[in-house]
Amino acid sequence: MARRTSRPARPARTSRTADSPCPCGLAASYGVCCGRFHSGQATAPTAELLMRSRYSAFVVRDGAYLLRTWHPGTRPASVEFDREMRWSGLEILETADGSVFHDTGTVTFAAHYTHGDAPGALRERSRFERCGGGWVYVNGTFEDSAV
């Protein structure tokens, strides 16, 4: 008789349709905005759009996309999602470089959330590089979260 091993339950992706508002805060629908990056139909042309799509990937719990857009030199083996975390909004505070004409860029942002019943904000200055022709997240520095 084969022995069954239990695997931890993977967090379900939150339900979002192509016509839903995009979690990144831009005025386009999810399918036209970050959804096309998540599905692989397109790649983010700027560091800011990659940042927005990665935030949206946290909202919809798309770990595969997060890993795919993480620099190979800093990429973790897996991404874990906290079931109590509910992302509620993204503010882009500053961008430097990261356009179609650059090879590196930084994006400073505040990601608002509720954990359990407690609201909060994560503020990070993220570094991005072009790798294999597309933008990837390299690493980030957490900043004072009093936004």
Side-chain angles (χ1 to χ4, degrees), residues 8-110:
R10 288 181 34 185
R13 290 175 67 158
T14 60
S15 64
R16 184 148 319 259
T17 68
D19 295 328
S20 297
C22 193
C24 81
L26 293 178
S29 68
Y30 174 68
V32 170
C33 196
C34 294
R36 66 192 167 119
F37 303 138
H38 295 172
S39 71
Q41 293 174 344
T43 58
T46 66
E48 180 181 332
L49 286 176
L50 181 66
M51 171 57 241
R52 288 179 176 279
S53 69
R54 286 178 56 83
Y55 168 82
S56 292
F58 275 101
V59 173
V60 301
R61 298 182 178 174
D62 187 346
Y65 180 77
L66 291 167
L67 292 172
R68 193 168 65 245
T69 58
W70 212 309
H71 192 282
T74 58
R75 179 187 307 135
S78 64
V79 175
E80 302 292 325
F81 296 102
D82 183 338
R83 293 180 184 275
E84 298 296 314
M85 183 72 76
R86 298 290 177 254
W87 297 101
S88 56
L90 176 67
E91 290 178 77
I92 301 298
L93 304 172
E94 181 181 11
T95 61
D97 299 331
S99 77
V100 295
F101 302 108
H102 297 105
D103 290 325
T104 63
T106 60
V107 179
T108 304
F109 67 92

Side-chain angles (χ1 to χ4, degrees), residues 111-122:
H112 299 274
Y113 63 85
T114 302
H115 189 263
D117 291 330
L122 177 146

